[in-house]
Amino acid sequence: MSKHAGIPLTYSEEVLEALRAGDPVVALESNVITHGLPYPDNAATAAKVEAAVRAGGAVPATIGIDAGRLVVGMSGTDIERFATASGVPKVSSRDMPVVLARGGMGATTVASSLIAAELAGIPFFTSAGIGGVHRGAQTTMDVSSDLIQFTRSKVAVVCAGAKSILDLGLTMEYLETQCVPLISYRSDDFPAFYCASSGIRSPHRLDDERTIARVVENHWAAGNDSSVLITTPPREEDAVDRGEAEEAIAEALAAAERDGVRGNAITKYLMRAVDKATGGRTSEANMAVLVSTAEVGGRLAAAHAHHLRESGHVPEGNRSV
């Protein structure tokens, strides 16, 4: 066990050794295990995501909260326990201090995983889709804590863009206003989770992994303590047609308004409604994107670690652990 800023961290032996050696590690959220698919599909998907990170050349570190500590690199036993447990709370950044103090289990979201990754000395994190500005936010003020956390956590985030149920135009505006660098890897457009394109042009396209590593280091060398957002679209065979998705979302939004669904419940409601409208295709695409994004995250983390070695920035491994 290691302590950083008063927060107890428990590393798996593999993750700890990799960090000390300066080898690439990719942080992963645990919310997809507890609040995604039913058992045993959730545990199987978590294993596939970790295997994809390894295929990319990095060590996976699934983050969880257990007994008042952050677990950095959940074991197979840990994942099985989280996958079968009931009532494990979804823990965002604002909830983390409370759940840690109470000493129970907690599943990390994108925002809370970023805090844990930075505390643990892990510079890369990957997730299928990030949160963003919700449709109608002009009146509801519903903005995901993910976006706020990007401005506070010094972690590179690899994702397939933001969920298509969000207002992606406003999401892009927010990222620009908050000076969060946005790079699209081997794509011209900002992807929309399981849609290859949101229809919005990305500010920067980069195809070279070493160049992306330099971008990440340049951002932090300039004195920024914020994230770098790197998007990668779903594979062509996994993607859902944008027109089909938008039609399903419009119907789901109308149904949510009719049923009075608002606040924290809206995302889950819309995702389920869209999946039903597309005959389950978005759910299948969701799982595929989790895996493909994790593999790209592993590759980019490996390129970043190689860049640090070449530049002499990590001659003695990661000194934060």
Side-chain angles (χ1 to χ4, degrees), residues 32-105:
V32 295
I33 301 171
T34 57
H35 291 75
L37 300 166
Y39 183 80
D41 294 339
N42 51 357
T45 299
K48 289 178 183 177
V49 170
E50 289 200 343
V53 170
R54 295 185 192 281
V59 172
T62 301
I63 308 290
I65 298 174
D66 194 20
R69 58 205 165 91
L70 290 172
V71 180
V72 183
M74 292 170 63
S75 67
T77 301
D78 291 331
I79 290 174
E80 188 75 10
R81 189 159 54 89
F82 271 62
T84 55
S86 61
V88 178
K90 177 180 179 179
V91 181
S92 190
S93 47
R94 74 167 186 173
D95 312 307
M96 181 182 284
V98 178
V99 175
L100 285 169
R102 285 177 171 169
M105 295 168 67

Side-chain angles (χ1 to χ4, degrees), residues 69-147:
R69 58 205 165 91
L70 290 172
V71 180
V72 183
M74 292 170 63
S75 67
T77 301
D78 291 331
I79 290 174
E80 188 75 10
R81 189 159 54 89
F82 271 62
T84 55
S86 61
V88 178
K90 177 180 179 179
V91 181
S92 190
S93 47
R94 74 167 186 173
D95 312 307
M96 181 182 284
V98 178
V99 175
L100 285 169
R102 285 177 171 169
M105 295 168 67
T108 57
T109 63
V110 170
S112 54
S113 296
L114 291 181
I115 294 175
E118 185 173 14
L119 288 174
I122 301 174
F124 268 77
F125 166 81
T126 185
S127 175
I130 61 170
V133 179
H134 282 256
R135 301 187 190 209
Q138 298 91 329
T139 55
T140 65
M141 295 295 291
D142 195 350
V143 178
S144 170
S145 56
D146 295 355
L147 297 186

Side-chain angles (χ1 to χ4, degrees), residues 1-308:
M1 179 180 288
S2 171
K3 285 202 173 188
H4 195 303
I7 301 294
L9 304 175
T10 299
Y11 296 82
S12 72
E13 185 176 343
E14 181 186 24
V15 169
L16 187 60
E17 288 179 358
L19 290 173
R20 285 175 171 167
D23 292 336
V25 178
V26 174
L28 301 164
E29 62 182 307
S30 51
N31 179 56
V32 295
I33 301 171
T34 57
H35 291 75
L37 300 166
Y39 183 80
D41 294 339
N42 51 357
T45 299
K48 289 178 183 177
V49 170
E50 289 200 343
V53 170
R54 295 185 192 281
V59 172
T62 301
I63 308 290
I65 298 174
D66 194 20
R69 58 205 165 91
L70 290 172
V71 180
V72 183
M74 292 170 63
S75 67
T77 301
D78 291 331
I79 290 174
E80 188 75 10
R81 189 159 54 89
F82 271 62
T84 55
S86 61
V88 178
K90 177 180 179 179
V91 181
S92 190
S93 47
R94 74 167 186 173
D95 312 307
M96 181 182 284
V98 178
V99 175
L100 285 169
R102 285 177 171 169
M105 295 168 67
T108 57
T109 63
V110 170
S112 54
S113 296
L114 291 181
I115 294 175
E118 185 173 14
L119 288 174
I122 301 174
F124 268 77
F125 166 81
T126 185
S127 175
I130 61 170
V133 179
H134 282 256
R135 301 187 190 209
Q138 298 91 329
T139 55
T140 65
M141 295 295 291
D142 195 350
V143 178
S144 170
S145 56
D146 295 355
L147 297 186
I148 309 300
Q149 200 60 50
F150 293 154
T151 70
R152 302 175 179 177
S153 294
K154 198 173 175 181
V155 179
V157 178
V158 182
C159 65
K163 297 177 177 69
S164 53
I165 60 172
L166 303 169
D167 188 320
L168 300 185
L170 288 182
T171 298
M172 294 284 279
E173 289 290 345
Y174 184 93
L175 292 169
E176 180 185 359
T177 299
Q178 295 297 330
C179 306
V180 176
L182 173 58
I183 303 161
S184 288
Y185 176 58
R186 299 183 179 176
S187 174
D188 291 323
D189 295 346
F190 183 72
F193 196 33
Y194 40 63
C195 298
S197 171
S198 63
I200 302 172
R201 200 79 162 177
S202 176
H204 300 286
R205 170 177 175 153
L206 289 175
D207 293 358
D208 181 67
E209 295 160 10
R210 294 182 184 180
T211 303
I212 293 175
R214 290 196 295 271
V215 169
V216 171
E217 284 305 303
N218 285 345
H219 179 61
W220 294 335
N224 297 295
D225 291 323
S226 53
S227 299
V228 176
L229 190 60
I230 307 163
T231 67
T232 177
R235 293 173 299 202
E236 186 177 347
E237 62 269 27
D238 299 327
V240 175
D241 178 74
R242 182 158 60 95
E244 180 185 359
E246 281 296 326
E247 184 178 338
I249 290 167
E251 293 175 1
L253 285 167
E257 180 68 24
R258 183 185 65 242
D259 295 343
V261 181
R262 296 180 180 84
N264 292 339
I266 190 71
T267 298
K268 192 171 186 179
Y269 179 94
L270 292 177
M271 294 290 280
R272 284 184 171 176
V274 171
D275 188 50
K276 184 177 180 181
T278 59
R281 289 189 59 238
T282 57
S283 180
E284 293 174 4
N286 186 354
M287 286 191 289
V289 172
L290 276 168
V291 174
S292 62
T293 306
E295 194 272 334
V296 172
R299 291 209 315 265
L300 294 177
H304 179 257
H306 181 72
H307 170 70
L308 291 181

